[in-house]
Amino acid sequence: MDEKEALIQELIKQTEDGKLEWTHSSSENEYALELSSALFTISYEFCPDYAAFCYIVNMHNGTGAPIEIVREVARTEDTCQSNLLYRLFIDARESCVKENKTIREALSELKNL
Amino acid sequence: MGEEKSTISAKQSKGRVIFIAVGLLTLLLLFSFIAYKRLRLDTFISCVGLIVSLYGLVVTIWQLLLIRSSAELTEKAIINTSERIETILSVSDVSKAVALSRQVIENLSDKKYELARFRLCEVKDVLVKVLCVPSIVCDEKEIKRTVQHIEVHISSLDKQVNNISEINLVTIGQDIEKMVKLLVSIETNLRINTNG
């Protein structure tokens, strides 16, 4: 396992444990994570080079242009197990929007009425 | 600067007074010695020669030390001046960055994304420059963080310009407002330092 893959897996693990807080980026379908060493973004966007939608993780360390860490083409059969970046994107969105958490809380609130 | 100049000239005039006083005192002592010992002419001339040479040597060493201290003071004055110039230039740069940031907000609301991107790059350049000037006291961590955010926004504007993805105007607007606050605080600190 190379360093980049290790980084992605660590990001997934820490996000799922709720230790990392992703925020909305200035682009649609993009989430940002601020660490003291660098700022990471994960986006779901159309890549003209692949003529397909891709998941892209970029790193911004303030020294110039963003550094692309990894890029993967999104597939229709993507699941959390098959594609790391898909999983990270879903986790980042959940960390930012808290959709599932809010639904669960609302559901339990409704049940306790 | 003016204070250092007056220190140098005070030292020089003090030196002149001591030079004349010591010279007169030596001559007085020399003539008293000659009158007391009743020396022959050739001995008298070699005595005068020896004393004048020693006196010249002492004066030369003393002048060299004086020149060295003057050079040190001048160097200090040059460093102070260049730091002051750096600060004054930085104040104008930061003021320009504040104005540019406001223009970015205007450009975004007018959907002039390419212009907004160009101006945001200029703001980023100013912030990177601020980080490189050692005489500017500022929150380095906060500036680095802002630079990273600007990079993300520039990349988002690129995507918007190339029709890859839509820009989130609310997020970018809020971030630029925060950036303006940071720039204004840097500008205020710089102005205080320049005037102080």
Side-chain angles (χ1 to χ4, degrees):
Chain A
M1 183 167 61
D2 69 351
E3 277 188 333
K4 286 178 181 176
E5 199 183 326
L7 174 77
I8 301 297
Q9 284 192 340
E10 197 56 31
L11 284 173
I12 291 171
K13 185 177 173 289
Q14 301 288 355
T15 307
E16 285 177 356
D17 290 350
K19 289 178 185 167
L20 296 178
E21 191 96 356
W22 292 76
T23 53
H24 278 292
S25 167
S26 46
S27 220
E28 211 180 39
N29 285 324
E30 186 176 77
Y31 300 96
L33 171 73
E34 210 179 313
L35 300 179
S36 55
S37 51
L39 196 148
F40 291 90
T41 54
I42 180 158
S43 58
Y44 173 70
E45 63 192 59
F46 185 75
C47 303
D49 298 346
Y50 294 88
F53 278 90
C54 295
Y55 295 105
I56 303 168
V57 175
N58 278 321
M59 182 173 80
H60 305 258
N61 58 6
T63 53
I67 302 155
E68 189 177 308
I69 301 287
V70 62
R71 178 189 292 244
E72 261 181 25
V73 175
R75 296 162 304 205
T76 44
E77 69 275 15
D78 269 339
T79 62
C80 285
Q81 279 72 37
S82 68
N83 190 333
L84 277 180
L85 292 195
Y86 170 75
R87 191 172 160 192
L88 181 61
F89 184 80
I90 297 292
D91 287 344
R93 188 173 63 190
E94 178 56 26
S95 161
C96 177
V97 182
K98 295 182 173 56
E99 184 185 343
N100 294 337
K101 192 185 165 201
T102 315
I103 289 173
R104 274 197 302 272
E105 281 172 3
L107 203 61
S108 91
E109 194 182 333
L110 289 170
K111 278 181 183 171
N112 291 329
L113 285 176
Chain B
M1 181 82 175
E3 203 176 289
E4 278 144 8
K5 245 186 187 175
S6 64
T7 314
I8 295 167
S9 60
K11 268 189 179 179
Q12 282 171 343
S13 56
K14 201 175 153 190
R16 260 179 234 126
V17 171
I18 294 170
F19 175 78
I20 294 162
V22 173
L24 287 172
L25 194 69
T26 316
L27 281 173
L28 193 71
L29 284 171
L30 182 66
F31 284 116
S32 315
F33 179 71
I34 291 160
Y36 179 71
K37 289 275 182 185
R38 293 178 186 282
L39 296 175
R40 277 168 44 195
L41 185 64
D42 56 341
T43 323
F44 165 74
I45 290 169
S46 52
C47 262
V48 171
L50 178 71
I51 288 168
V52 168
S53 311
L54 285 173
Y55 185 64
L57 185 69
V58 169
V59 168
T60 312
I61 292 168
W62 183 31
Q63 286 299 311
L64 281 174
L65 290 173
L66 196 72
I67 287 167
R68 199 180 74 174
S69 78
S70 303
E72 278 169 5
L73 283 173
T74 314
E75 197 186 330
K76 263 188 199 169
I78 291 167
I79 291 168
N80 280 346
T81 313
S82 60
E83 273 180 7
R84 210 174 154 77
I85 291 168
E86 262 179 6
T87 314
I88 290 165
L89 283 177
S90 307
V91 170
S92 74
D93 276 346
V94 176
S95 307
K96 189 182 154 196
V98 172
L100 283 170
S101 306
R102 298 205 192 283
Q103 281 178 16
V104 170
I105 297 173
E106 271 182 38
N107 293 152
L108 287 171
S109 56
D110 295 343
K111 295 187 189 295
K112 291 176 181 167
Y113 300 117
E114 275 183 67
L115 262 178
R117 186 197 177 281
F118 177 69
R119 284 182 176 141
L120 212 48
C121 285
E122 282 189 80
V123 176
K124 185 187 150 188
D125 290 345
V126 171
L127 284 174
V128 172
K129 197 175 162 188
V130 165
L131 279 175
C132 299
V133 180
S135 59
I136 301 176
V137 182
C138 55
D139 188 349
E140 204 174 298
K141 210 173 163 187
E142 185 60 28
I143 295 179
K144 277 187 179 167
R145 187 186 156 274
T146 310
V147 170
Q148 288 170 355
H149 279 266
I150 294 176
E151 272 182 14
V152 175
H153 300 325
I154 291 170
S155 159
S156 300
L157 284 165
D158 272 337
K159 288 176 194 171
Q160 172 70 49
V161 169
N162 295 314
N163 291 323
I164 291 172
S165 114
E166 285 282 314
I167 197 152
N168 185 336
L169 288 172
V170 177
T171 314
I172 196 168
Q174 285 172 346
D175 240 31
I176 291 172
E177 280 300 334
K178 276 186 204 165
M179 195 170 74
V180 170
K181 274 186 193 166
L182 173 76
L183 286 166
V184 169
S185 77
I186 294 172
E187 191 189 353
T188 314
N189 282 340
L190 283 172
R191 278 189 199 280
I192 291 167
N193 289 345
T194 316
N195 296 332

